[in-house]
Every structure is written in structure tokens, then in C-alpha cells.
Amino acid sequence: MRGDLAARALRAIADGAVDDGGVAGLAARLHVSERHLHRVLVTEIGASPLQLARTRRAQLARLLIDETPLRMTDVAFAAGFASVRQFNDVMRAEFGAPPSALRRPAGAPPRPAGATPRRDEADPGEERAPVDAAALTLRLRYAGPFDPGAWLAHVTHRAVAGLERADAASITRLLTTPAGPAVVTVVPGASGDAVLARLQLPRLADLGGVVARLRRWLDLDADPAAVDAALGADPVLGPLVAARPGLRIPGTVDPVELAVRAVLGQQVSTAGARTLTGRLVAELGAPGPDGLSLFPTPEAIVDAGEGRLRALGLTGARARTLVGLAGAVVGGLALGPGADRAGARAALLAVPGIGPWTADYVALRALGDPDVFPAGDLVLRRALAELPGGVGGPVDVAAAAAHAQQWRPWRGYAAQHLWTAWADRARPRAAQAALGPRPAWDAAPRRPGAHETIVPAS
């Protein structure tokens, strides 16, 4: 998960940037020329932007062929192809067979690549208009191991009534798409190699972007074997990795929403952050399908102004920060998958009221930087001090940052393990006993100092 130009371009292509704006649009989004972008990708990856976009469409089409009964023409448009003829040509080039030969009935053995399609299969050469709406169930595969319980516990503990609906096995929310809101439900523990995603889309052609956002939300493209191998020998993290192999960093389906919620969660409990977020959604969010609302747009927050935000229970300083953040986004601040991480962090820090903790948190969960360690986080510092193998005494910001250097380039996963282990302390006595008693030096409750943050996101 590098942060250089090639990596940013790959993430943007996976998000559908070439489908939306062509190579010219992708280059403009990354603030480089088309020629320079082409040269960098061919040198670093071995493929041009168009070739990478073609591969993305083919992979999405193969997912739909394997997982759904959609007609081949619908698969073609949903995957982003401009025509069925282009779809046929690319699928033959990528998989060595026409699309119809890739699909088989459940339980049937694979058919030879050159076999004649059955008469009851959809004709891949049939031209017709793309489907305007669709309800699909997909299996989003990942490389194991994967800890679905930890991911679901994280998101359900932060679920906001009206914005999200969670139960013991799944979470449902709305995603904004170019054609309108999509309803998505993810079931992370449905099987041992895939997350189940139930989708209601206003337009089938928006599927690629929705799938990419869901994969980032669940961190499904991580390399858990590499992460666990790097962190597993550490005296503090080793037992945590052994207890939760494949722990992922919960991301987001909406980077701006995450940044706003991070500001709302500054120096308040998770419950307090949920309350403030719920008020913001009820006041400024747009009602959507399935009894849920869309998160307020940055334009809506700017238009509301500080006075209306203070009426929701925000302090004047917090209201100014939210308006400043929303204004920066409206003015061009990019927080999506193709954003320049260093530039975005600098721009966030330029907003009054946003400090290193908030900027780091956004970098970790919205920008997808796996090597961020928010050393100012109170919970992380207490975990470093108190968990078995820890330092056994108070840890300040500088000491936490220095200690985390040994976990590069996976400091974000180290932070997630520490947050998760600390959250386990609030569970029954058996879980607490496994983590060990609190040390004598910290037996008495402490009041956070002005420099400490009570984290909404641990």
C-alpha cells in the first residue's frame, strides 16, 4: 500500500477513475500529465492506464459471471465495458475463452475453453440497454486469514442510528453513487474465504465503484500473512497477532464522512461521538431508501454554518473546525484513494482545530496508509504501558512514536491490534484475565490531561 504516484494511480483506477473520466481525467486527478502517468505506470507496473482499467473490468466481469445469474449483456455494462463486442474481446484476451464459456451450472465440472456455449446461455453478442436497477448478492473474496468478528465489532460499536443498521452478523448502510443511493449489507463472517455483500443498486453500471469501496471498508486487499509475520515476533504484539490473526484496519466507504466523524469524536467517548453524528445526520442528511439517511455533504455543512452546528450540541470551536474541513473539501481537498497522502495530511493540519491525531486517523482509515501510528492517542499509549510485554510505566507521545518505529511498514496494523486488545478489556472477566491485571503504578483512575485524547475510534 505505497503512497507514490504509481500506487495512487492503481487505487484510483480500481475506484473507476478511468471509466469515469478516461486517462485524461485520471491524470488531472493526480495532477500530472498523461504522458508522465503512462511512463510511470509502464515502468513501475508494466502496463498502461488503459490496460490496467481493462484488467479491472475483466476481473469485475468474472466476479459477476461466477456469482450471479446476470445475462452477459448486463455483465458487460455492469463491469464498465462500452459495448458487448469490447466485452467479448477483452474477456477472450484475459481468460482465453468467451464469456459464455466461463459460466457453468452449480455443481457442473468446468467446460473446455473452446466448447460451444449451451443454447440456454445468454448470448454474449446480444446488444441491449444496460439495466437501470439491480439487486445482487456477491461474495467478495480475500486472502486469509481474516478476523470478521473484530471488524464487525468495530463498525457496529460505532454504528449511528438512521445512518447505519447493525446486528450480530451484519451491517447495512447507504452508499452514494452517480445514479443515487445504493443500499448495501455486508456479512463478514458468512464463509471462510469471502464476505457476503447484498446490494440494491439504482444503476448496474455503478457496481464497480461500489465493490471497490466495500473492499476498502473491509480492508480485503490486505496481505495478512506479511503483516502477521512482521508483527508476530514482537513481545507486545505477538500474543495479540496469535489471538487475532488476519486482523484488518476498518476503512471507510466515504472518506469525507470519516473525516467529519473523526472531528466529531475528538476528546469525547465513542457514545458521545455517535450522539453528535446522529444529530448531524438527522439535521443535514438526506433521507434515502430502506429507512436510512445519507451522510451530509460538505456543501450542506458549509451552508449550515457554525450557528446551526452549535445548536446540535457542538462547541463553537468544534463547529468552526467542521465548517473549515467541509470548506476545504469543497475547495478541492481530496481524501479519496488516489489522494496524495502527504499533501492531504498537510492540508488537514492547516484546518484550525485539526491536529496530528485527527490527521493520522484520517490517513489510516480514509487514505489507506498502513504505516500510520497516531502516537498522541491515549488508548494506544496506555496499551503500550499496560498490556503484557509493555513498558510497565507511563508512555508519552514521543516515547510511543519511538517505540512504534520497529513496526514499520505496518504501524497502522500494530495500532489496530493495540486498540482491539484494549477494547477486549471491557469484555467479561475471562478476556480481561487473559490480558493480565492492571499494574500497581496505574491502579488509580487518571484524568486525561489537556494533551490527551479520549479516542472514539480505537
Side-chain angles (χ1 to χ4, degrees), residues 237-283:
L237 297 178
L240 309 185
V241 171
R244 292 192 177 278
L247 186 72
R248 306 302 169 100
I249 298 174
T252 182
V253 296
D254 183 344
V256 176
E257 174 188 324
L258 184 134
V260 170
R261 293 177 69 165
V263 170
L264 291 172
Q266 291 173 343
Q267 297 186 346
V268 299
S269 66
T270 302
R274 284 199 308 265
T275 298
L276 292 175
T277 304
R279 292 174 185 170
L280 183 71
V281 170
E283 181 70 15

Side-chain angles (χ1 to χ4, degrees), residues 333-357:
L333 171 60
L335 298 175
D340 179 351
R341 291 169 178 168
R345 189 178 190 277
L348 287 170
L349 290 173
V351 176
I354 291 184
W357 179 87

Side-chain angles (χ1 to χ4, degrees), residues 136-196:
L136 302 173
T137 298
L138 300 177
R139 287 162 45 86
L140 306 180
R141 297 186 180 275
Y142 53 79
F146 174 60
D147 188 338
W151 183 90
L152 188 62
H154 177 97
V155 297
T156 56
H157 187 49
R158 291 154 184 79
V160 173
L163 181 69
E164 298 142 325
R165 185 168 55 248
D167 57 34
S170 67
I171 185 164
T172 299
R173 62 161 296 149
L174 304 181
L175 269 66
T176 302
T177 75
V183 183
V184 301
T185 298
V186 294
V187 187
S191 71
D193 64 349
V195 170
L196 196 68

Side-chain angles (χ1 to χ4, degrees), residues 2 4 15-16 34 68 73 122 129 140 144 151 162 192 198 221 238 276 310 325 378-379 428:
R2 295 158 21 190
D4 57 17
D15 201 46
E34 291 182 58
T68 76
T73 45
L140 306 180
W151 183 90
R198 302 189 185 99
D221 295 316
L276 292 175
R310 285 198 303 270
L325 170 62
L378 174 61
V379 169

Side-chain angles (χ1 to χ4, degrees), residues 67-168:
E67 301 286 345
T68 76
L70 286 173
R71 294 164 60 104
M72 291 298 173
T73 45
D74 296 334
V75 169
F77 290 116
F81 290 98
S83 68
V84 175
R85 181 183 298 278
Q86 182 190 63
F87 167 58
N88 289 336
D89 292 343
V90 170
M91 295 301 284
R92 284 190 178 95
E94 292 285 335
F95 299 105
S100 58
L102 300 174
R103 174 174 282 167
R104 64 182 188 275
R111 297 186 9 245
T116 302
R118 300 188 318 272
R119 294 177 55 126
D120 60 340
E121 286 184 334
D123 181 2
E126 178 188 354
E127 299 279 357
R128 66 185 184 91
V131 174
D132 287 334
L136 302 173
T137 298
L138 300 177
R139 287 162 45 86
L140 306 180
R141 297 186 180 275
Y142 53 79
F146 174 60
D147 188 338
W151 183 90
L152 188 62
H154 177 97
V155 297
T156 56
H157 187 49
R158 291 154 184 79
V160 173
L163 181 69
E164 298 142 325
R165 185 168 55 248
D167 57 34

